[in-house]
Amino acid sequence: MAELKYEITEEIGVLSENAKGWKKELNMVSWNDHDPKYDIREWAPDHSRMGKGVTLTADELASLKELLQGIDLDSFE
């Protein structure tokens, strides 16, 4: 299997952290030397390993933001 090359170009923020120190983060990540995209996934404390996640273009992130603004968070228990 080909080696996956990545570079976190900007750390935007942490969404949560589990008991083992892994953090779910929103970052800008360049995958295999391509232009950086928005990326949400869990990372080991030293960013050497990662979990499954989702990568979004700026347009996709804008669409997600619009969708989230329409959610009534008070309706959740």
Coordinates of all heavy atoms in Angstrom, one line a residue:
M1 N 0.8 -1.2 0.0 CA 0.0 0.0 0.0 C 0.9 1.2 0.0 O 1.9 1.3 0.7 CB -0.9 0.0 1.2 CG -1.9 1.1 1.2 SD -3.4 0.7 2.2 CE -3.1 1.5 3.7
A2 N 0.5 2.2 -0.8 CA 1.3 3.5 -0.9 C 1.3 4.2 0.4 O 0.2 4.2 1.1 CB 0.8 4.3 -2.0
E3 N 2.3 4.9 0.7 CA 2.4 5.7 2.0 C 1.5 6.9 1.8 O 1.5 7.6 0.8 CB 3.9 6.1 2.2 CG 4.0 6.9 3.5 CD 5.5 7.3 3.7 OE1 6.4 6.7 3.2 OE2 5.7 8.2 4.5
L4 N 0.8 7.2 2.9 CA -0.1 8.4 2.9 C 0.8 9.5 3.4 O 1.4 9.5 4.5 CB -1.3 8.1 3.8 CG -2.2 9.3 4.0 CD1 -2.9 9.6 2.6 CD2 -3.3 8.9 5.0
K5 N 0.9 10.6 2.7 CA 1.6 11.8 3.1 C 0.7 12.9 3.5 O -0.3 13.2 2.7 CB 2.5 12.2 1.9 CG 3.5 13.3 2.2 CD 4.4 13.5 1.0 CE 5.4 14.6 1.2 NZ 6.2 14.9 0.0
Y6 N 0.9 13.5 4.6 CA 0.1 14.6 5.1 C 0.9 15.6 5.8 O 1.9 15.4 6.3 CB -1.1 14.0 6.0 CG -0.6 13.5 7.3 CD1 -0.5 14.3 8.4 CD2 -0.1 12.2 7.4 CE1 0.0 13.9 9.6 CE2 0.3 11.7 8.6 CZ 0.4 12.5 9.7 OH 0.8 12.1 10.9
E7 N 0.3 16.8 5.8 CA 0.9 17.9 6.6 C -0.2 18.8 7.1 O -1.1 19.3 6.3 CB 1.8 18.8 5.7 CG 2.4 20.0 6.4 CD 3.1 21.0 5.5 OE1 3.2 20.7 4.3 OE2 3.6 22.0 6.0
I8 N -0.3 19.0 8.4 CA -1.2 19.9 9.0 C -0.7 21.3 8.8 O 0.3 21.6 9.4 CB -1.5 19.5 10.5 CG1 -2.0 18.1 10.7 CG2 -2.4 20.6 11.1 CD1 -2.1 17.7 12.1
T9 N -1.3 22.0 8.0 CA -0.8 23.4 7.7 C -1.4 24.4 8.6 O -0.8 25.5 8.8 CB -1.2 23.8 6.2 OG1 -2.6 23.8 6.0 CG2 -0.5 22.8 5.2
E10 N -2.5 24.1 9.3 CA -3.1 25.1 10.3 C -4.0 24.3 11.2 O -4.8 23.5 10.8 CB -3.9 26.1 9.6 CG -4.6 27.1 10.5 CD -5.4 28.2 9.8 OE1 -5.4 28.2 8.5 OE2 -6.1 28.9 10.5
E11 N -3.7 24.5 12.5 CA -4.5 23.9 13.5 C -5.6 24.9 13.9 O -5.3 25.9 14.5 CB -3.7 23.5 14.8 CG -2.7 22.4 14.4 CD -1.9 22.0 15.6 OE1 -2.3 22.2 16.8 OE2 -0.8 21.4 15.4
I12 N -6.9 24.6 13.6 CA -7.9 25.5 13.8 C -8.6 25.4 15.2 O -8.8 26.4 15.9 CB -9.0 25.4 12.7 CG1 -8.4 25.7 11.3 CG2 -10.2 26.3 13.0 CD1 -9.2 25.4 10.1
G13 N -8.8 24.1 15.6 CA -9.4 24.0 16.9 C -9.7 22.6 17.3 O -9.8 21.7 16.4
V14 N -9.9 22.3 18.6 CA -10.2 21.0 19.2 C -11.7 20.9 19.5 O -12.2 21.8 20.1 CB -9.4 20.7 20.4 CG1 -9.8 19.4 21.1 CG2 -7.9 20.8 20.1
L15 N -12.3 19.9 19.0 CA -13.8 19.7 19.2 C -14.0 18.9 20.5 O -15.0 19.1 21.3 CB -14.4 19.0 18.1 CG -14.3 19.7 16.7 CD1 -14.8 18.8 15.6 CD2 -15.0 21.0 16.7
S16 N -13.1 17.9 20.8 CA -13.3 17.1 22.0 C -12.0 16.3 22.2 O -11.1 16.2 21.3 CB -14.4 16.1 21.8 OG -14.2 15.2 20.8
E17 N -11.8 15.7 23.4 CA -10.7 14.9 23.7 C -11.2 13.6 24.5 O -12.0 13.8 25.4 CB -9.7 15.7 24.5 CG -8.4 14.9 24.9 CD -7.4 15.7 25.6 OE1 -7.6 17.0 25.7 OE2 -6.4 15.1 26.1
N18 N -10.6 12.4 24.1 CA -11.0 11.2 24.9 C -10.0 10.9 26.0 O -9.0 11.6 26.2 CB -11.2 10.0 23.9 CG -9.9 9.5 23.3 OD1 -8.8 9.7 23.9 ND2 -10.0 8.8 22.2
A19 N -10.3 9.9 26.8 CA -9.5 9.6 27.9 C -8.1 9.2 27.6 O -7.2 9.3 28.4 CB -10.2 8.4 28.7
K20 N -7.8 8.8 26.4 CA -6.4 8.4 26.0 C -5.7 9.6 25.4 O -4.5 9.4 24.9 CB -6.5 7.2 25.0 CG -7.0 6.0 25.6 CD -7.0 4.8 24.6 CE -7.5 3.5 25.3 NZ -7.4 2.4 24.4
G21 N -6.3 10.7 25.4 CA -5.6 11.9 24.9 C -5.8 12.2 23.4 O -5.2 13.2 22.9
W22 N -6.5 11.3 22.7 CA -6.8 11.6 21.3 C -7.8 12.8 21.2 O -8.7 12.8 22.0 CB -7.3 10.4 20.6 CG -6.3 9.3 20.2 CD1 -5.4 8.7 21.1 CD2 -6.0 8.8 19.0 NE1 -4.6 7.8 20.4 CE2 -5.0 7.9 19.1 CE3 -6.5 9.1 17.7 CZ2 -4.4 7.2 18.0 CZ3 -6.0 8.4 16.6 CH2 -4.9 7.5 16.8
K23 N -7.5 13.6 20.2 CA -8.4 14.8 20.1 C -9.1 14.8 18.7 O -8.4 14.6 17.7 CB -7.6 16.1 20.2 CG -7.0 16.3 21.6 CD -6.1 17.5 21.7 CE -5.5 17.6 23.1 NZ -4.5 18.7 23.1
K24 N -10.4 15.1 18.7 CA -11.1 15.4 17.5 C -10.9 16.8 17.2 O -11.2 17.7 18.0 CB -12.6 15.1 17.7 CG -13.3 15.1 16.3 CD -14.8 14.6 16.5 CE -14.8 13.1 16.9 NZ -16.1 12.6 17.2
E25 N -10.3 17.1 16.0 CA -9.8 18.4 15.6 C -10.3 18.9 14.3 O -10.6 18.0 13.4 CB -8.3 18.5 15.6 CG -7.6 18.1 16.9 CD -6.1 18.1 16.7 OE1 -5.6 18.5 15.7 OE2 -5.4 17.6 17.7
L26 N -10.4 20.2 14.1 CA -10.7 20.8 12.8 C -9.3 21.5 12.4 O -8.8 22.3 13.2 CB -11.8 21.9 12.9 CG -11.9 22.7 11.6 CD1 -12.3 21.8 10.4 CD2 -13.0 23.8 11.8
N27 N -8.8 21.0 11.3 CA -7.5 21.5 10.9 C -7.5 21.7 9.4 O -8.4 21.2 8.7 CB -6.3 20.5 11.1 CG -6.1 20.2 12.6 OD1 -6.1 21.1 13.4 ND2 -6.0 18.9 13.0
M28 N -6.5 22.4 8.9 CA -6.3 22.5 7.4 C -5.2 21.5 7.2 O -4.1 21.5 7.8 CB -5.8 23.9 7.0 CG -6.8 24.9 7.1 SD -8.2 24.8 5.9 CE -7.4 25.0 4.4
V29 N -5.4 20.5 6.3 CA -4.5 19.4 6.0 C -4.2 19.3 4.5 O -5.1 19.3 3.7 CB -5.0 18.1 6.6 CG1 -4.0 17.0 6.3 CG2 -5.3 18.2 8.1
S30 N -2.9 19.2 4.2 CA -2.5 18.9 2.8 C -2.3 17.4 2.7 O -1.4 16.9 3.5 CB -1.3 19.7 2.5 OG -0.7 19.2 1.3
W31 N -3.0 16.7 1.9 CA -2.9 15.3 1.7 C -2.1 15.0 0.4 O -2.5 15.5 -0.7 CB -4.3 14.6 1.6 CG -5.0 14.7 2.9 CD1 -6.0 15.6 3.2 CD2 -4.9 14.0 4.1 NE1 -6.5 15.4 4.5 CE2 -5.8 14.4 5.0 CE3 -4.0 12.9 4.5 CZ2 -5.9 13.9 6.3 CZ3 -4.1 12.4 5.7 CH2 -5.0 12.9 6.7
N32 N -1.0 14.2 0.5 CA -0.2 13.9 -0.7 C 0.2 15.1 -1.5 O 0.1 15.0 -2.8 CB -1.0 12.8 -1.5 CG -1.2 11.5 -0.8 OD1 -0.3 11.1 0.0 ND2 -2.3 10.9 -0.9
D33 N 0.6 16.1 -0.9 CA 1.1 17.4 -1.5 C 0.1 18.1 -2.3 O 0.4 19.0 -3.1 CB 2.3 17.0 -2.4 CG 3.5 16.5 -1.7 OD1 3.8 17.1 -0.6 OD2 4.2 15.6 -2.2
H34 N -1.2 17.9 -2.1 CA -2.3 18.7 -2.7 C -2.6 19.9 -1.9 O -2.1 20.0 -0.7 CB -3.6 17.8 -2.9 CG -3.4 16.7 -3.9 ND1 -2.9 16.9 -5.1 CD2 -3.7 15.4 -3.8 CE1 -2.9 15.7 -5.8 NE2 -3.4 14.8 -4.9
D35 N -3.4 20.8 -2.4 CA -3.8 22.0 -1.7 C -4.5 21.6 -0.4 O -5.2 20.6 -0.4 CB -4.7 22.9 -2.5 CG -4.0 23.5 -3.7 OD1 -2.8 23.7 -3.6 OD2 -4.7 23.9 -4.6
P36 N -4.2 22.3 0.7 CA -4.9 22.0 2.0 C -6.4 22.1 1.9 O -6.9 23.0 1.2 CB -4.3 23.0 3.0 CG -3.1 23.6 2.3 CD -3.3 23.4 0.8
K37 N -7.1 21.3 2.7 CA -8.5 21.3 2.8 C -8.9 21.2 4.3 O -8.0 20.8 5.1 CB -9.1 20.1 2.1 CG -9.0 20.2 0.6 CD -9.7 19.0 -0.1 CE -9.5 19.1 -1.6 NZ -10.2 18.0 -2.3
Y38 N -10.1 21.6 4.6 CA -10.6 21.5 6.0 C -10.7 20.0 6.3 O -11.2 19.3 5.5 CB -11.9 22.2 6.1 CG -11.7 23.7 6.0 CD1 -12.0 24.3 4.7 CD2 -11.3 24.5 7.0 CE1 -11.8 25.7 4.6 CE2 -11.2 25.9 6.9 CZ -11.4 26.5 5.6 OH -11.2 27.8 5.5
D39 N -10.4 19.7 7.5 CA -10.3 18.2 7.8 C -10.8 18.1 9.3 O -10.3 18.8 10.2 CB -8.9 17.7 7.7 CG -8.8 16.2 7.9 OD1 -9.0 15.5 6.9 OD2 -8.5 15.8 9.0
I40 N -11.7 17.2 9.5 CA -12.2 16.8 10.9 C -11.9 15.4 11.1 O -12.4 14.5 10.4 CB -13.7 17.1 11.0 CG1 -14.1 18.5 10.7 CG2 -14.2 16.7 12.4 CD1 -15.6 18.8 10.6
R41 N -11.1 15.1 12.1 CA -10.8 13.7 12.5 C -10.1 13.6 13.9 O -9.7 14.7 14.4 CB -10.0 13.0 11.4 CG -8.5 13.4 11.4 CD -7.7 12.7 10.3 NE -8.3 13.1 9.0 CZ -8.9 12.2 8.1 NH1 -8.9 10.9 8.4 NH2 -9.4 12.6 7.0
E42 N -10.0 12.4 14.4 CA -9.3 12.3 15.7 C -7.8 12.1 15.4 O -7.4 11.4 14.4 CB -9.8 11.1 16.4 CG -11.2 11.3 17.1 CD -11.6 10.2 18.0 OE1 -11.1 9.0 17.8 OE2 -12.4 10.5 18.9
W43 N -7.0 12.7 16.2 CA -5.5 12.6 16.1 C -4.9 12.1 17.4 O -5.4 12.5 18.5 CB -5.0 14.0 15.8 CG -5.3 14.4 14.4 CD1 -6.4 15.2 14.0 CD2 -4.5 14.2 13.2 NE1 -6.3 15.4 12.7 CE2 -5.2 14.8 12.1 CE3 -3.3 13.5 12.9 CZ2 -4.7 14.8 10.8 CZ3 -2.9 13.5 11.6 CH2 -3.6 14.1 10.6
A44 N -3.9 11.4 17.3 CA -3.1 11.0 18.5 C -2.5 12.3 19.0 O -2.3 13.3 18.3 CB -2.0 10.0 18.1
P45 N -2.1 12.3 20.3 CA -1.5 13.5 20.9 C -0.4 14.2 20.1 O -0.2 15.4 20.1 CB -1.1 13.1 22.3 CG -2.0 12.0 22.6 CD -2.2 11.2 21.3
D46 N 0.5 13.3 19.5 CA 1.6 13.9 18.7 C 1.4 14.0 17.2 O 2.3 14.3 16.4 CB 2.9 13.0 19.0 CG 2.7 11.6 18.5 OD1 1.6 11.2 18.0 OD2 3.7 10.8 18.6
H47 N 0.1 13.8 16.8 CA -0.3 13.9 15.4 C 0.4 12.8 14.5 O 0.5 13.0 13.3 CB -0.1 15.3 14.8 CG -1.1 16.2 15.3 ND1 -0.7 17.5 15.7 CD2 -2.4 16.2 15.5 CE1 -1.7 18.2 16.1 NE2 -2.8 17.4 16.0
S48 N 1.0 11.8 15.1 CA 1.6 10.7 14.3 C 0.6 9.7 13.8 O 1.0 9.0 12.8 CB 2.7 10.0 15.2 OG 2.1 9.3 16.2
R49 N -0.5 9.6 14.4 CA -1.6 8.7 13.9 C -2.9 9.4 13.9 O -3.1 10.4 14.6 CB -1.6 7.4 14.9 CG -0.4 6.6 14.8 CD -0.5 5.4 15.6 NE -0.8 5.7 17.0 CZ -1.4 4.8 17.9 NH1 -1.6 3.6 17.5 NH2 -1.6 5.2 19.1
M50 N -3.8 8.9 13.1 CA -5.1 9.5 13.0 C -6.2 8.5 12.8 O -5.9 7.3 12.4 CB -5.1 10.4 11.7 CG -5.1 9.6 10.4 SD -4.4 10.5 9.0 CE -2.7 10.5 9.4
G51 N -7.4 8.9 13.1 CA -8.6 8.1 12.9 C -9.2 8.4 11.6 O -8.8 9.3 10.9
K52 N -10.4 7.8 11.3 CA -11.1 8.1 10.1 C -11.7 9.5 10.3 O -12.0 9.9 11.4 CB -12.2 7.1 9.8 CG -11.7 5.8 9.4 CD -12.8 4.8 9.2 CE -12.3 3.4 8.8 NZ -13.4 2.5 8.6
G53 N -11.9 10.2 9.2 CA -12.4 11.5 9.3 C -13.0 12.0 8.0 O -13.3 11.2 7.1
V54 N -13.3 13.3 7.9 CA -13.9 13.8 6.7 C -13.1 15.1 6.3 O -12.6 15.8 7.1 CB -15.4 14.2 6.9 CG1 -15.6 15.2 8.0 CG2 -16.0 14.6 5.6
T55 N -12.9 15.2 4.9 CA -12.1 16.3 4.4 C -13.1 17.1 3.5 O -13.8 16.6 2.7 CB -10.9 15.8 3.5 OG1 -10.1 15.0 4.4 CG2 -10.1 17.0 3.0
L56 N -13.1 18.4 3.7 CA -14.0 19.3 3.0 C -13.3 20.5 2.3 O -12.4 21.0 2.8 CB -15.0 19.9 4.1 CG -15.8 19.0 5.0 CD1 -16.4 19.7 6.1 CD2 -16.8 18.3 4.2
T57 N -13.9 20.8 1.1 CA -13.4 22.0 0.5 C -14.0 23.2 1.2 O -14.9 23.1 2.0 CB -13.9 22.1 -1.0 OG1 -15.3 22.1 -1.0 CG2 -13.4 20.8 -1.8
A58 N -13.6 24.4 0.8 CA -14.2 25.6 1.4 C -15.7 25.7 1.1 O -16.5 26.1 2.0 CB -13.4 26.9 0.9
D59 N -16.1 25.4 -0.1 CA -17.5 25.4 -0.4 C -18.3 24.4 0.4 O -19.4 24.7 0.8 CB -17.7 25.1 -1.9 CG -17.2 26.3 -2.8 OD1 -17.1 27.4 -2.3 OD2 -17.0 26.1 -4.0
E60 N -17.7 23.2 0.6 CA -18.4 22.2 1.4 C -18.5 22.6 2.8 O -19.6 22.4 3.5 CB -17.7 20.9 1.3 CG -17.8 20.2 -0.1 CD -16.9 19.0 -0.3 OE1 -15.8 19.0 0.4 OE2 -17.2 18.2 -1.1
L61 N -17.5 23.3 3.4 CA -17.5 23.7 4.7 C -18.6 24.9 4.9 O -19.3 24.9 5.9 CB -16.2 24.2 5.2 CG -16.1 24.6 6.7 CD1 -16.2 23.4 7.6 CD2 -14.7 25.3 6.9
A62 N -18.7 25.7 3.9 CA -19.7 26.8 3.9 C -21.1 26.2 3.9 O -22.0 26.6 4.6 CB -19.5 27.7 2.7
S63 N -21.3 25.1 3.1 CA -22.6 24.5 3.1 C -22.9 23.8 4.4 O -24.1 23.9 4.9 CB -22.6 23.4 2.0 OG -22.5 24.0 0.7
L64 N -21.9 23.2 5.0 CA -22.1 22.6 6.3 C -22.5 23.6 7.4 O -23.4 23.4 8.2 CB -20.8 21.8 6.7 CG -20.8 21.2 8.1 CD1 -22.0 20.1 8.2 CD2 -19.5 20.5 8.4
K65 N -21.8 24.7 7.3 CA -22.1 25.8 8.3 C -23.5 26.3 8.1 O -24.2 26.5 9.1 CB -21.1 27.0 8.0 CG -21.3 28.2 8.9 CD -20.4 29.3 8.6 CE -20.7 30.5 9.5 NZ -19.9 31.6 9.2
E66 N -24.0 26.4 6.9 CA -25.4 26.8 6.6 C -26.3 25.8 7.2 O -27.3 26.1 7.8 CB -25.6 27.0 5.1 CG -26.9 27.7 4.8 CD -27.0 28.0 3.3 OE1 -26.0 28.5 2.7 OE2 -28.0 27.7 2.7
L67 N -26.0 24.5 7.0 CA -26.9 23.4 7.5 C -27.0 23.5 9.0 O -28.0 23.3 9.6 CB -26.4 22.1 7.0 CG -26.6 21.8 5.5 CD1 -25.9 20.5 5.1 CD2 -28.1 21.7 5.2
L68 N -25.8 23.6 9.6 CA -25.7 23.6 11.1 C -26.5 24.8 11.7 O -27.1 24.7 12.8 CB -24.3 23.6 11.5 CG -23.5 22.3 11.3 CD1 -22.0 22.5 11.6 CD2 -24.1 21.2 12.0
Q69 N -26.5 25.9 11.0 CA -27.2 27.1 11.5 C -28.7 26.9 11.6 O -29.4 27.5 12.4 CB -26.9 28.3 10.7 CG -25.5 28.9 10.9 CD -25.1 30.0 10.0 OE1 -25.6 30.1 8.9 NE2 -24.2 30.9 10.5
G70 N -29.2 25.9 10.8 CA -30.6 25.7 10.7 C -31.0 24.6 11.8 O -32.2 24.3 11.9
I71 N -30.1 24.1 12.5 CA -30.4 23.1 13.5 C -30.8 23.7 14.9 O -30.0 24.6 15.3 CB -29.3 22.1 13.7 CG1 -29.1 21.3 12.4 CG2 -29.6 21.1 14.9 CD1 -27.9 20.4 12.5
D72 N -31.9 23.3 15.5 CA -32.3 23.8 16.8 C -31.6 22.9 17.8 O -32.2 21.8 18.1 CB -33.8 23.9 16.9 CG -34.3 24.3 18.3 OD1 -33.4 24.8 19.1 OD2 -35.5 24.2 18.5
L73 N -30.5 23.4 18.4 CA -29.8 22.5 19.4 C -30.6 22.4 20.7 O -30.4 21.4 21.4 CB -28.4 23.1 19.7 CG -27.4 23.2 18.5 CD1 -26.2 23.9 18.9 CD2 -27.2 21.8 18.0
D74 N -31.5 23.3 20.9 CA -32.3 23.1 22.2 C -33.3 22.0 22.0 O -33.9 21.5 23.0 CB -33.1 24.4 22.4 CG -32.2 25.5 22.8 OD1 -31.1 25.3 23.4 OD2 -32.5 26.7 22.5
S75 N -33.5 21.4 20.8 CA -34.5 20.3 20.7 C -33.9 19.0 21.0 O -34.6 18.0 21.1 CB -35.0 20.3 19.2 OG -33.9 19.9 18.3
F76 N -32.5 19.0 21.3 CA -31.9 17.7 21.7 C -31.9 17.6 23.2 O -31.8 18.6 23.9 CB -30.4 17.7 21.2 CG -30.3 17.6 19.7 CD1 -30.0 18.8 19.0 CD2 -30.4 16.5 19.1 CE1 -29.8 18.7 17.6 CE2 -30.3 16.4 17.7 CZ -30.0 17.5 17.0
E77 N -32.0 16.4 23.7 CA -32.1 16.2 25.1 C -30.7 16.1 25.7 O -29.8 15.7 25.1 CB -32.8 14.9 25.5 CG -34.3 15.0 25.1 CD -35.1 13.8 25.4 OE1 -34.6 12.9 26.1 OE2 -36.2 13.6 24.9

